[in-house]
Amino acid sequence: FARNAYTDTMVNRTVFNYRIISGMHDKPVHIQKTDRILIASKDSMIRSLDKLKNWLNGEEIYLVIDEAHHAVAKSYKKIIQYVADHTKSMKLLGLTATPFRTSEDEQGALKQVFTDDIVYKTDLDTLIKKGILATPTFIDCNTNIQFTEHLGVQALKSIENLDTLPENIANDIADNKERNRIIVEKYLHNYEKYGQTIVFALNKVHAIALNKLFNEKGKAYGIRSEFIISEVQDMITGITISNADNERKIEAYRNGEIQVLINVNILTEGTDLPKTHTVFLTRPTVSTTLMTQMVGRALRGLKAGGRVSRKRDPCRDPKAADPADRNFKDRRVRTNGRCCRGYVRIGQHAGNRTD
């Protein structure tokens, strides 16, 4: 907002107030009627919708939902309905790089929320040509390790519909020392080319095992690794890993203090890590949405603060659980590439200046 606050885009206004509502920033109870823009996390607002009532006050509201493919969830629908019920009129806009749902049961659900359907879109090739995204290079790496020879019909349906592996298969993959060795050595043998790398692990057991191996084998190369997962007790140390611990590790990665950051379903959305050069997809998935999100962590182009080209190095386990051919793909993508409130003074756009 601050970078684009110019008189040719914001007519008849010279200044506006904004407030950021999240667990790391401000609280809903501090919302003022003078706030023109609220930038809020879903989790913070869903617990305090009543604090919006005076702010909404029957006015016209423009509600923008980022990562809009989540808007079919009950929590989002509750927020949307609350805003609609307490305003004179509401315009709803959703932004997402993945405007679809994986589950067959949810096909068409987004159109029920965003009734005008898709009003604008751009494709990957266009964004690459404009330099906003980098050009990805995909490299396969066969693990030659089989896990799912004896999957039953029910397990295959669970994988196809929910993108969920049976627990025994997931643990077999996470605990497989040979497969983990291949993953770590693939990086270490190419660390100068791969640079800073995000690893998507299958579960917390897998993340901890990979992190231990990366740090043990990486010492000789000067490589440091960390892992981030949802708030749980560390299985090795017994220490609770909090969101604050995760933020500290993310910041260390952002500053170049660690080279490998392993995560379980945390870095798929909403995290800005422009120095990421490579993504290792070491977890299987049949979800187009999830695959797009994971690959996208390393697709920042020059005009977005990244680099020109990106590589992806996928490892492939034979007879894994893709419902069609039972081939799960582990992929690596190589790429080149706390303020809570305030006001913004609106300036004159460079194109309109006469000086």
Side-chain angles (χ1 to χ4, degrees), residues 3 13 26 37 46 83 87 103 118 129 145 161 189 199 248 253 268 310 338 351:
R3 290 178 181 175
R13 186 174 293 280
D26 213 344
I37 296 173
I46 195 64
V83 173
T87 55
S103 172
I118 297 175
K129 288 175 182 176
I145 300 171
N161 295 327
H189 293 163
V199 178
R248 175 183 56 77
Y253 177 83
T268 52
R310 323 276 169 131
R338 171 131 110 139

Side-chain angles (χ1 to χ4, degrees), residues 56-63 83-92:
L56 294 170
N57 196 30
E59 294 193 20
E60 293 182 350
I61 295 293
Y62 209 128
L63 179 58
V83 173
D85 290 344
H86 291 84
T87 55
K88 180 166 57 178
S89 68
M90 179 189 75
K91 291 182 172 65
L92 180 64

Side-chain angles (χ1 to χ4, degrees), residues 271-282:
T271 305
D272 185 28
L273 298 170
K275 292 182 180 179
T276 300
H277 196 61
T278 307
V279 173
F280 273 36
L281 307 190
T282 69

